[in-house]
């Protein structure tokens, strides 16, 4: 296997738990409060921590073996790199990740080309939106870096994203893509991260490709696999989720960004990426199911209310045991092959479609009984309703559900503004 040394001088500074106070157990009932949903427009600050003074003996032994393999990478097969990435501790530090992440997806030396300048790409249709997203991602950069280095990193991130969507013009940029791109860039540098991101975005098994389609339907379909997995593992927990009507929207930012947006600790993010880079494309959904199962006690104690349940689930604690969660997710995947879940997912989606039609009919009847002045507004609300998952339109708790639905529409606007731009351009379409 051909080896290479990725560029980019980004040292691993994150091997110790950061100081992060847990969220208050007394949640606000104000649905406009930013803490009640995963605030994807303003990500929390990522913690880049200090080195461990002491290391697990198993990880120390693994580190020595990895250094021996990296000294002669051409003699190491892919299965060995995958074993390093998925076993306890993952790839340990960014010094190793720089070299191994590209190898996990088959990047070769010939693909390491110098990027164009930002000015050369500034006329692209998505340029302004990408720049806005990059500017919003400053909290995901290493803290304390000099201003000039931060600006250079922002430009590199913008160029990286634009290069991919220019190379594959049929792919649609989504807001959240930059969270994946910045993680690759921080670890691998601007030359190696481009072919790596291309591998993740394009191809029959590219894990990010479903997110880059014209609509969110492919993404929502794949995320729906989480619920049958949870049900097979814990029927009581699944019934609780179903009764609350919480659906899967709480996990959408996790899946779209491989948790790169929603976790506060850098070490947790890169540890998950170690595994995801060599796992089946749907594996992040199984990690989502494993996290829900890990938090079963909290869920069962929560009020059976959609807004409160969404609030609880969307806020990921800082102390999640990801090594245990990955072991659970692997077991869930081995016991619940995606092909075995297809009929359950199809039944779930049929129920959702039936509920959607009932809600639309109910809306039409209400509209018919309203004054003429109220008609245009209700028609607009009815059209916007199509962007809200059916689970959020359950009959119970209408006022709370509508308020939460409004917040989640904002989530859709953030991640796929193109859908709403199309609506504004053609409101009758």
């Amino acid at each position: 296997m051909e080896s290479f040394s990725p560029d980019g001088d980004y040292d691993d500074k994150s091997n110790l738990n950061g100081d992060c106070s847990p969220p208050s157990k007394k949640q606000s009932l104000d649905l406009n409060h930013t803490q009640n949903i995963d605030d994807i427009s303003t990500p929390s600050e990522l913690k880049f921590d200090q080195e461990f003074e002491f290391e697990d003996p198993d990880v120390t032994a693994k580190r020595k073996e990895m250094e021996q393999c990296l000294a002669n990478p051409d003699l190491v097969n892919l299965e060995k790199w995958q074993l390093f990435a998925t076993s306890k501790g993952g790839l340990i530090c960014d010094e190793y990740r720089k070299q191994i992440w590209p190898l996990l997806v088959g990047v070769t030396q010939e693909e390491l080309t110098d990027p164009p300048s930002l000015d050369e790409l500034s006329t692209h249709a998505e340029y302004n939106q990408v720049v806005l997203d990059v500017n919003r991602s400053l909290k995901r950069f290493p803290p304390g870096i000099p201003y000039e280095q931060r600006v250079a990193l922002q430009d590199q991130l913008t160029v990286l994203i634009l290069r991919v969507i220019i190379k594959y013009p049929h792919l649609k940029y989504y807001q959240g893509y930059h969270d994946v791109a910045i993680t690759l860039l921080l670890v691998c540098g601007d030359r190696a991260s481009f072919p790596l991101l291309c591998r993740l975005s394009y191809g029959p098994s590219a894990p990010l490709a479903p997110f880059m389609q014209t609509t969110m339907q492919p993404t929502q379909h794949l995320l729906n696999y989480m619920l049958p997995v949870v049900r097979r593992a814990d029927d009581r927990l699944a019934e609780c989720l179903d009764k609350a009507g919480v659906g899967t929207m709480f996990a959408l930012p996790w899946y779209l960004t491989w948790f790169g947006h929603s976790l506060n600790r850098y070490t947790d993010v890169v540890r998950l990426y170690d595994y995801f880079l060599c796992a089946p494309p749907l594996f992040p959904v199984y990690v989502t199911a494993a996290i829900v199962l890990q938090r079963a006690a909290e869920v069962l104690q929560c009020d059976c209310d959609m807004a409160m349940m969404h609030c609880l689930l969307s806020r990921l604690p800082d102390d999640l045991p990801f090594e245990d969660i990955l072991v659970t997710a692997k077991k869930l995947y081995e016991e619940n092959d995606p092909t075995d879940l297809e009929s359950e997912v199809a039944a779930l989606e049929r129920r959702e479609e039936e509920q959607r039609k009932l809600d639309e009919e109910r809306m039409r009847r209400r509209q018919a009984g309203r004054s003429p002045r109220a008609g245009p507004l209700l028609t607009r609300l009815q059209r916007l309703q199509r962007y809200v998952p059916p689970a959020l339109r359950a009959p119970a708790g209408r006022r709370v559900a509508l308020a939460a639905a409004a917040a989640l529409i904002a989530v859709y606007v953030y991640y796929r503004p193109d859908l709403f731009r199309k609506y504004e351009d053609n409101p009758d379409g």
Side-chain angles (χ1 to χ4, degrees):
M1 181 177 295
E2 190 169 16
S3 63
F4 60 92
S5 298
D7 62 331
D9 186 18
Y10 304 112
D11 294 332
D12 181 24
K13 304 174 182 177
S14 50
N15 286 327
L16 191 62
N17 226 358
D19 178 18
C20 182
S21 300
S24 170
K25 294 182 179 179
K26 185 177 181 181
Q27 297 289 350
S28 168
L29 294 178
D30 179 4
L31 290 176
N32 290 323
H33 197 283
T34 56
Q35 291 183 346
N36 279 356
I37 61 172
D38 185 24
D39 189 359
I40 52 180
S41 64
T42 53
S44 56
E45 185 172 354
L46 198 62
K47 292 176 173 57
F48 295 76
D49 306 311
Q50 302 300 316
E51 296 281 350
F52 276 121
E53 185 176 352
F54 300 103
E55 188 172 73
D56 185 301
D58 293 338
V59 175
T60 300
K62 179 179 179 180
R63 182 190 293 272
K64 293 178 180 178
E65 185 180 3
M66 289 175 64
E67 289 177 350
Q68 292 174 354
C69 290
L70 287 170
N72 296 284
D74 294 339
L75 304 179
V76 181
N77 59 28
L78 177 60
E79 288 72 21
K80 188 65 174 180
W81 299 126
Q82 291 174 335
L83 179 60
F84 285 141
T86 57
S87 58
K88 182 180 179 181
L91 297 179
I92 304 176
C93 69
D94 283 2
E95 179 185 353
Y96 303 152
R97 291 185 177 102
K98 290 178 189 179
Q99 301 174 69
I100 298 175
W101 275 11
L103 297 176
L104 291 173
V105 297
V107 172
T108 63
Q109 181 71 36
E110 290 71 25
E111 294 178 273
L112 305 184
T113 57
D114 292 328
S117 69
L118 186 58
D119 289 341
E120 294 177 63
L121 309 179
S122 61
T123 59
H124 191 273
E126 295 284 4
Y127 173 80
N128 290 331
Q129 185 60 59
V130 172
V131 169
L132 285 174
D133 292 343
V134 168
N135 290 338
R136 276 200 291 258
S137 67
L138 293 181
K139 290 184 178 180
R140 314 304 284 183
F141 288 8
I145 63 174
Y147 173 79
E148 295 79 6
Q149 186 179 350
R150 188 192 72 188
V151 171
L153 194 57
Q154 287 178 257
D155 289 348
Q156 288 177 354
L157 179 56
T158 303
V159 169
L160 171 60
I161 294 169
L162 290 172
R163 288 180 77 187
V164 176
I165 59 179
I166 288 172
K167 183 174 182 178
Y168 305 111
H170 64 287
L171 296 178
K172 305 299 181 184
Y173 169 74
Y174 67 92
Q175 291 171 299
Y177 191 64
H178 64 287
D179 289 298
V180 178
I182 184 60
T183 304
L184 303 182
L185 181 62
L186 287 172
V187 171
C188 298
D190 59 351
R191 297 179 77 234
S193 58
F194 171 60
L196 204 169
L197 188 56
C198 286
R199 292 287 205 286
L200 300 182
S201 305
Y202 176 74
S205 298
L208 305 184
F211 313 153
M212 308 184 77
Q213 305 307 307
T214 305
T215 73
M216 291 293 294
Q217 192 280 329
T219 302
Q220 185 61 53
H221 170 70
L222 295 174
L223 195 53
N224 281 340
Y225 279 77
M226 178 191 72
L227 297 175
V229 173
V230 171
R231 182 171 295 279
R232 289 186 176 196
D234 189 332
D235 190 64
R236 183 187 175 200
L237 176 61
E239 287 297 324
C240 181
L241 297 173
D242 188 58
K243 186 177 180 181
V246 71
T248 60
M249 277 295 293
F250 67 87
L252 180 63
W254 307 352
Y255 188 28
L256 288 174
T257 68
W258 276 7
F259 295 86
H261 179 92
S262 303
L263 293 175
N264 290 326
R265 287 168 25 184
Y266 177 77
T267 48
D268 291 337
V269 175
V270 292
R271 174 65 189 102
L272 289 177
Y273 276 51
D274 290 344
Y275 208 117
F276 292 163
L277 285 171
C278 51
L282 202 57
F283 191 76
V285 173
Y286 287 75
V287 172
T288 294
I291 290 174
V292 174
L293 291 165
Q294 175 75 24
R295 304 182 66 192
E298 298 175 74
V299 173
L300 293 172
Q301 291 175 5
C302 181
D303 291 341
C304 192
D305 170 84
M306 184 274 290
M308 295 298 292
M309 192 74 74
H310 177 90
C311 171
L312 170 70
L313 288 169
S314 62
R315 291 171 58 86
L316 289 172
D318 280 347
D319 59 351
L320 287 173
F322 277 107
E323 290 298 336
D324 295 338
I325 286 170
L326 287 169
V327 170
T328 300
K330 182 175 184 289
K331 184 173 184 289
L332 290 172
Y333 193 91
E334 291 171 346
E335 295 176 351
N336 303 278
D337 188 276
T339 56
D340 296 335
L341 301 174
E342 290 175 357
S343 60
E344 296 171 57
V345 173
L348 170 66
E349 292 175 345
R350 283 195 299 270
R351 291 195 299 271
E352 290 182 342
E353 179 64 16
E354 291 169 0
Q355 184 63 50
R356 183 187 66 80
K357 291 179 179 179
L358 289 173
D359 290 342
E360 288 182 350
E361 179 61 28
R362 189 179 297 111
M363 180 70 78
R364 281 193 291 269
R365 290 177 181 176
R366 289 182 178 178
Q367 182 179 353
R370 301 282 181 173
S371 66
R373 293 182 63 185
L377 176 60
L378 288 172
T379 299
R380 184 177 294 270
L381 288 173
Q382 184 178 11
R383 286 171 176 159
L384 288 176
Q385 191 183 32
R386 78 182 75 170
Y387 299 107
V388 182
L392 301 181
R393 303 196 293 267
R398 281 292 176 185
R399 292 183 181 180
V400 175
L402 286 174
L408 293 175
I409 287 175
V411 174
Y412 270 96
V413 172
Y414 178 81
Y415 274 115
R416 293 310 297 264
D418 54 303
L419 300 180
F420 285 82
R421 286 199 294 267
K422 291 178 181 177
Y423 165 72
E424 292 172 355
D425 296 338
N426 184 21
D428 296 323

